[in-house]
Amino acid sequence: VVTNERGSHNEGYISFDYLGMITDRDGIPIWILPIEPKKEYTQDDRVRDIRVTSAGTITFITNRNAFEIMPDGRISWRGPKSGANAVEALHHGVERLPNGNLMTLGNHTVRMPVPFDTAIIPVEFGVIVEYDRAGKIVWKWDSYSYFRPAEIEFRKLPNGQWTSSSHMNAFRQTTENGVVYVFAGFRDLDRLIKIEKSTGKVVATYGTQMNSGYGWKYSDLFHAQHDVTPLSDGNIAVFNNDSISKDGVVSSLVIFNKESKLVYRMTCDVKGETNGKSEKCGGVDELY
């Protein structure tokens, strides 16, 4: 049994996805997802990305929608489910921004022809959306306008069907020298990008180099990654799921600088307690 040392690392609380629970460092629940009378959200909705905001509210996403609630369960914001402001397939996370708006991640599909084949298949493109308090879209970035055709990787499955996915699975807004940027991560392409929010332009790209791209800072530091966290010292952190199907390869926390040089790595086979392999999910936050 591994226990936490008393007297150190006692600050803060820990949220547990799917359980709909926040505990203290001893594992004692201090908050449990309340019952919502109209069942707009329930504990059966795979509640995840539970975060306590600076405003004292709690944000999370379900398999149906994104929410911001008061601790007692009253809904203070929900993502639009229909109409012009709705986004197909909200997933992975929601973040309350300093201005009080909510940013979340979704996707949409575009039917595209497979090169050198007669097949036409749906291709998923990630979308980052910022909503105001009324649920109106005030900023949007669509990866469909970013990827060049040569970067869309079509793969044939064992059953002969074609598939293609970039799978945007992470975003994070940050400010540097007064300029607002949004980072985005694409798991299936081993790629992170940095978007200048005011223009929507990609100003830096990190990861395994593909056929084309913008502002490349090539590295082989991460694969099939989750999350992207710009740190206060200017470095960037990711949870590196990595090529876990290979023997001897384990998942890790990776921190690198703006030139894509490794700063720090911690593998997940901590003290030999686990095999260190995380096929999906994972994340990293900077504690203060």
Side-chain angles (χ1 to χ4, degrees), residues 99-240:
N99 62 5
N101 290 347
L102 283 298
M103 182 174 284
T104 190
L105 181 60
N107 62 44
H108 67 106
T109 55
V110 178
R111 295 189 64 82
M112 299 181 67
V114 176
F116 312 111
D117 197 281
T118 59
I120 298 177
I121 66 170
V123 178
E124 173 192 289
F125 291 94
V127 181
I128 306 172
V129 181
E130 179 182 346
Y131 291 102
D132 64 13
R133 303 301 304 182
K136 180 181 178 181
I137 295 176
V138 296
W139 184 82
K140 181 178 179 180
W141 188 87
D142 190 341
S143 64
Y144 178 66
S145 61
Y146 162 65
F147 285 114
R148 299 175 181 178
E151 293 180 285
I152 306 300
E153 289 193 342
F154 293 89
R155 303 178 299 279
K156 183 171 282 191
L157 301 174
N159 62 6
Q161 297 292 319
W162 284 97
T163 185
S164 176
S165 174
S166 60
H167 193 64
M168 186 196 296
N169 65 359
F171 70 89
R172 193 65 60 89
Q173 179 171 296
T174 187
T175 301
E176 299 176 17
N177 300 319
V179 180
V180 180
Y181 298 96
V182 178
F183 281 85
F186 299 88
R187 182 195 67 190
D188 292 353
L189 301 179
D190 307 331
R191 176 185 297 197
L192 299 173
I193 63 172
K194 183 179 180 181
I195 307 161
E196 185 179 57
K197 191 176 182 184
S198 62
T199 63
K201 294 180 178 179
V202 175
V203 296
T205 308
Y206 304 92
T208 304
Q209 189 164 8
M210 295 177 60
N211 296 324
S212 58
Y214 308 91
W216 275 108
K217 303 292 184 182
Y218 170 76
S219 71
D220 196 35
L221 296 176
F222 54 83
H223 300 278
Q225 77 288 342
H226 274 76
D227 212 354
V228 54
T229 304
L231 304 177
S232 57
D233 61 5
N235 293 324
I236 303 165
V238 298
F239 184 83
N240 175 32

